[in-house]
Amino acid sequence: MTKYESEVKRIYVPRQAVYDKLSDLSRLSSIRERAADPMFRDQVLAMAGDKIKPEQADKVIEVLQKLEMTTDTLTFDAGPMGNITLRIIEREEPKCVKFNLEGAPIQANLWIQLLERDAETLLKCTLGAELNFLIRQMVGSKLQGGVDQLATMLASIPY
């Protein structure tokens, strides 16, 4: 299994508040609501710097606006691949939430790890994926970028 780890992100709220929001995916509806705000596109571009183009930001916003959330699942439209679902498979309060990827052409898991330091929370995302050598060479950098963007997005949502 190949692992991709995000940079550690700081969130200036207690770990329990972050865990409570991320361990119940229906509480992430604010992401969909923020994506509907016309100013959100500019914020996405500012956060990403030169890592994405404006048309890529538009695609991200379109995906975010179509998110479907329940307590245990987050489903999004992945274009030609159809719907992909992140399903919570384990909760370790208040340290970690583990997900399984369903409906994707690869087998993958995602961990969101939380560490409390003083009055802030440190967040790190880790993606573990079963990839053969050829696929790893083709999509490895995109998966790394995606994990980093996910961590950045999770660090920026209101808790």
Side-chain angles (χ1 to χ4, degrees):
M1 181 168 287
T2 305
K3 289 192 178 180
Y4 300 92
E5 295 183 352
S6 73
E7 298 174 1
V8 174
K9 300 294 181 179
R10 294 174 190 262
I11 305 171
Y12 298 98
V13 297
R15 176 171 64 168
Q16 188 66 49
V18 177
Y19 176 84
D20 289 345
K21 187 143 194 174
L22 297 179
S23 65
D24 179 350
L25 297 175
S26 65
R27 294 181 181 161
L28 295 176
S29 61
S30 63
I31 294 171
R32 186 176 49 225
E33 293 160 8
R34 275 186 74 195
D37 181 351
M39 297 295 292
F40 184 71
R41 180 180 185 268
D42 296 334
Q43 293 169 347
V44 168
L45 288 171
M47 281 191 324
D50 61 352
K51 293 181 181 177
I52 65 170
K53 298 176 183 169
E55 55 273 8
Q56 291 171 310
D58 293 338
K59 285 186 178 187
V60 168
I61 290 168
E62 184 179 330
V63 168
L64 291 175
Q65 289 175 332
K66 295 179 182 178
L67 288 176
E68 295 177 26
M69 297 160 228
T70 68
T71 299
D72 294 325
T73 64
L74 185 144
T75 302
F76 59 94
D77 181 3
M81 290 187 292
N83 286 342
I84 294 180
T85 299
L86 275 174
R87 181 176 306 279
I88 293 177
I89 56 172
E90 186 178 334
R91 293 173 176 92
E92 187 179 340
E93 187 171 353
K95 299 187 236 178
C96 184
V97 182
K98 296 181 183 179
F99 302 84
N100 188 47
L101 191 63
E102 299 174 355
I106 61 171
Q107 182 182 15
N109 291 302
L110 174 72
W111 299 265
I112 300 174
Q113 298 163 303
L114 306 170
L115 179 65
E116 190 163 48
R117 183 185 298 161
D118 300 323
E120 67 184 16
T121 301
L122 304 179
L123 176 142
K124 181 170 89 169
C125 297
T126 302
L127 176 72
E130 292 290 337
L131 304 172
N132 67 37
F133 177 77
L134 181 61
I135 298 295
R136 187 172 45 244
Q137 296 303 311
M138 291 184 344
V139 301
S141 63
K142 292 182 192 279
L143 290 175
Q144 181 63 56
V147 170
D148 286 332
Q149 288 176 0
L150 175 63
T152 298
M153 181 188 70
L154 292 175
S156 69
I157 63 175
Y159 293 96

